[in-house]
Amino acid sequence: MKLKTQASTTLKSKLSSTLKSWLPILQSGMQDLEETLGEFAKDNPYFDIKSKITNNFSSYKKNRNLPKGSRVGQGGGLSDSIENFCIQEESLEESLLAQIIPPLFPTQTSQNIALKIIENLNEEGYFEGDIENMAKECRCSSEEIEKIRKRFAYLDPPGIGAKNLKESFYFQLDNMDIKSEIFELCSKILEDLEHHIHFKDECLYKEAMRVIQSFKNPPALDFYEKEAVIIPDILIRQESNNIQVQINEKYYPGIEINLHKEKNLKAKEEFIKIKTKEARDLVDALEMRKATLYKIGIMIVEYQYEFFTGGEIKPMKLKDLAQEFGHAPSTISRAISNKFLECSRGIFPLKVFFATAIDEEIANVTIKDFVVDLIRKENKQKPLSDTKILKLIEEKFDIKIVRRTITKYRAQLNIASSSERKKLYKMSL
């Protein structure tokens, strides 16, 4: 009996020490996992972190002389994303500042005005400053401000500094090397772009529309903040009716314990013992992280089986998983935070599968998917209003919600209002 108690106490002690490192490791997303492990490594000379992300990036760099567009390895996209993620790119402001030079901006005054214009560009690259106030600040006329602003038509990216979409297109047209006949027709079409079809009998109509359709909208599109590379923790593999859950081992960091370093250190025996134990605890914690996420993956597939076979996401609560695991909901919340799952339908944050319920059977994610589908199939001559979308949702799901909920969902999905969509459809751009 005594022996059993001692064994139980030893196991509990081992698990307790592992848990100290398990929780922060569990909470870290795949992109941050190496950094978290690095914090443990700062004062421990007995282990090294083996980065598989770095190794994959290195192998990509060795192949960087491949033709443009070539991809490395199966899929290839992740290595491309990692390079984009690791290399700091020039910002829009930095790019424009480098172009504020003679002969386009020959004087100090013109350069100062240009700098003020840059300060008053929004994230899309449109000018939204107050000309009158700028003129007072720069001690010049409003006409001088406008004169300098219109020189932005010759900067990169084309269209930058325009006040609106139409002017941006004119800026971009001025910056193009095309035949004068096409230039003139493009100018006419831009005057009444919503009714461009009226020019379809012009012999150069198709060429002119190809030029217009090549314009950037918004002009600062190429400078939008790039999304960070997403590395899923859980992989769902499907073959026929067979669904398998896997942990993404490919980019998982490894821990290598280096006991040979003892020979080179004049450390006390007790210090060596403590630090090597900490290193082994980290290995155990990393394995516990994998096991926890694997079990979460299994349970998501079990609860959301219909989603993985083409259906919709159903409401799922953190406490459902917490009860299965025997952990507090806060621990499960840590486990799914900043984690992603990849399946045949795409890559999804784990938190998506714990959608807020509108009622017992319908999740808000399901409603959003339905809205997206409605917009995709709507009559472009008569786009659906929020009121009409609400009515269709109530008929489809037999529920009652308010119109402002639809407006909120549409905003979250970055879908324009019905009147704005109608304008965009008319442009056919």
Side-chain angles (χ1 to χ4, degrees):
M1 192 70 178
K2 185 178 179 182
L3 180 62
K4 184 177 180 181
T5 304
Q6 286 178 339
S8 177
T9 303
T10 302
L11 179 61
K12 187 175 181 180
S13 175
K14 182 178 187 300
L15 188 60
S16 178
S17 61
T18 302
L19 282 173
K20 289 179 183 178
S21 51
W22 173 66
L23 286 175
I25 287 174
L26 178 66
Q27 188 171 4
S28 300
M30 186 69 91
Q31 292 90 328
D32 305 319
L33 190 53
E34 290 179 15
E35 185 178 344
T36 301
L37 292 173
E39 290 298 315
F40 289 102
K42 282 181 179 178
D43 61 349
N44 194 327
Y46 294 103
F47 76 89
D48 295 319
I49 301 166
K50 299 299 178 183
S51 171
K52 291 186 181 177
I53 291 179
T54 303
N55 290 343
N56 276 283
F57 179 50
S58 298
S59 65
Y60 173 80
K61 287 169 67 179
K62 289 177 182 177
N63 290 275
R64 64 185 181 276
N65 293 323
L66 289 170
K68 189 175 182 180
S70 298
R71 296 186 172 187
V72 181
Q74 188 174 5
L78 186 56
S79 291
D80 297 344
S81 300
I82 289 171
E83 184 182 42
N84 292 334
F85 182 67
C86 294
I87 298 174
Q88 186 175 2
E89 296 182 355
E90 186 179 49
S91 69
L92 174 62
E93 184 178 6
E94 289 170 337
S95 175
L96 292 174
L97 289 176
Q99 300 175 69
I100 307 304
I101 55 175
L104 203 54
F105 304 97
T107 66
Q108 188 63 51
T109 300
S110 65
Q111 291 175 15
N112 290 340
I113 293 172
L115 294 178
K116 277 290 181 184
I117 292 170
I118 292 174
E119 289 175 8
N120 285 274
L121 298 179
N122 63 23
E123 64 175 8
E124 294 185 328
Y126 291 115
F127 175 78
E128 53 181 19
D130 186 316
I131 297 288
E132 296 297 329
N133 286 339
M134 287 178 61
K136 290 178 182 178
E137 291 177 16
C138 297
R139 297 181 180 180
C140 64
S141 66
S142 300
E143 290 75 18
E144 184 68 15
I145 300 289
E146 272 293 275
K147 178 182 174 183
I148 299 299
R149 186 184 67 82
K150 289 184 177 179
R151 292 181 192 174
F152 275 59
Y154 305 101
L155 300 183
D156 283 324
I160 203 74
K163 290 183 177 180
N164 51 48
L165 174 66
K166 189 174 182 179
E167 188 180 43
S168 171
F169 282 3
Y170 274 117
F171 276 17
Q172 295 181 61
L173 181 62
D174 286 340
N175 213 6
M176 296 196 76
D177 183 16
I178 54 177
K179 293 180 180 178
S180 59
E181 297 90 342
I182 297 177
F183 181 92
E184 289 173 8
L185 181 55
C186 285
S187 297
K188 290 179 183 178
I189 292 174
L190 289 178
E191 281 296 324
D192 191 16
L193 187 56
E194 290 186 13
H195 302 103
H196 63 81
I197 199 69
H198 294 167
F199 297 89
K200 68 177 181 179
D201 293 332
E202 298 276 352
C203 62
L204 295 173
Y205 171 75
K206 289 184 178 179
E207 288 85 346
M209 286 307 297
R210 272 197 290 269
V211 169
I212 293 172
Q213 288 171 345
S214 72
F215 293 161
K216 289 276 187 357
N217 177 34
L221 183 65
D222 290 341
F223 288 86
Y224 275 16
E225 186 177 346
K226 301 293 190 297
E227 290 186 5
V229 59
I230 293 176
I231 305 175
D233 270 276
I234 300 172
L235 307 175
I236 306 298
R237 302 301 185 212
Q238 296 169 253
E239 293 182 9
S240 301
N241 293 326
N242 182 32
I243 298 180
Q244 290 185 337
V245 178
Q246 299 175 6
I247 291 297
N248 187 6
E249 299 275 1
K250 186 175 181 181
Y251 295 95
Y252 237 92
I255 295 176
E256 187 176 277
I257 298 176
N258 297 313
L259 296 178
H260 66 277
K261 288 187 177 181
E262 294 178 24
K263 300 175 182 178
N264 304 321
L265 293 172
K266 295 180 180 179
K268 291 183 179 179
E269 187 176 338
E270 185 64 22
F271 174 81
I272 295 172
K273 184 179 178 181
I274 291 171
K275 292 303 177 182
T276 52
K277 182 183 181 302
E278 285 178 2
R280 291 192 177 98
D281 284 343
L282 277 180
V283 174
D284 292 340
L286 207 55
E287 291 303 315
M288 282 180 67
R289 181 188 193 275
K290 293 180 186 179
T292 303
L293 289 172
Y294 178 76
K295 188 173 180 181
I296 287 174
I298 291 286
M299 295 182 73
I300 286 175
V301 170
E302 183 180 335
Y303 276 86
Q304 305 285 1
Y305 184 81
E306 290 182 12
F307 170 79
F308 294 105
T309 54
E312 299 167 343
I313 292 177
K314 289 187 175 181
M316 184 177 177
K317 298 177 182 178
L318 283 175
K319 69 178 184 180
D320 295 334
L321 249 66
Q323 289 171 357
E324 294 277 356
F325 275 86
H327 292 306
S330 59
T331 302
I332 302 303
S333 179
R334 287 185 180 188
I336 68 170
S337 177
N338 301 314
K339 313 295 190 309
F340 295 84
L341 175 151
E342 181 182 350
C343 64
S344 59
R345 298 182 68 173
I347 297 178
F348 300 86
L350 293 190
K351 65 181 181 181
V352 163
F353 299 99
F354 298 85
T356 305
I358 290 177
D359 68 6
E360 290 183 358
E361 292 297 326
I362 304 164
N364 59 2
V365 173
T366 302
I367 299 296
K368 288 180 182 180
D369 287 344
F370 183 67
V371 170
V372 170
D373 195 50
L374 286 176
I375 300 299
R376 188 183 297 120
K377 296 175 181 176
E378 72 182 352
N379 182 340
K380 292 177 172 53
Q381 303 300 319
K382 296 180 179 179
L384 298 169
S385 66
D386 288 353
T387 302
K388 181 60 177 175
I389 292 172
L390 173 64
K391 185 179 178 182
L392 292 171
I393 288 172
E394 290 179 341
E395 290 174 356
K396 166 76 173 176
F397 299 103
D398 191 25
I399 57 172
K400 286 291 180 183
I401 54 178
V402 295
R403 187 175 64 84
R404 65 174 176 269
T405 301
I406 304 304
T407 305
K408 181 181 74 172
Y409 287 172
R410 183 171 52 71
Q412 290 172 348
L413 293 165
N414 198 27
I415 295 173
S417 65
S418 56
S419 59
E420 288 298 317
R421 296 202 304 278
K422 189 173 183 179
K423 291 179 183 177
L424 292 170
Y425 291 147
K426 280 185 176 180
M427 290 182 185
S428 299
L429 297 173

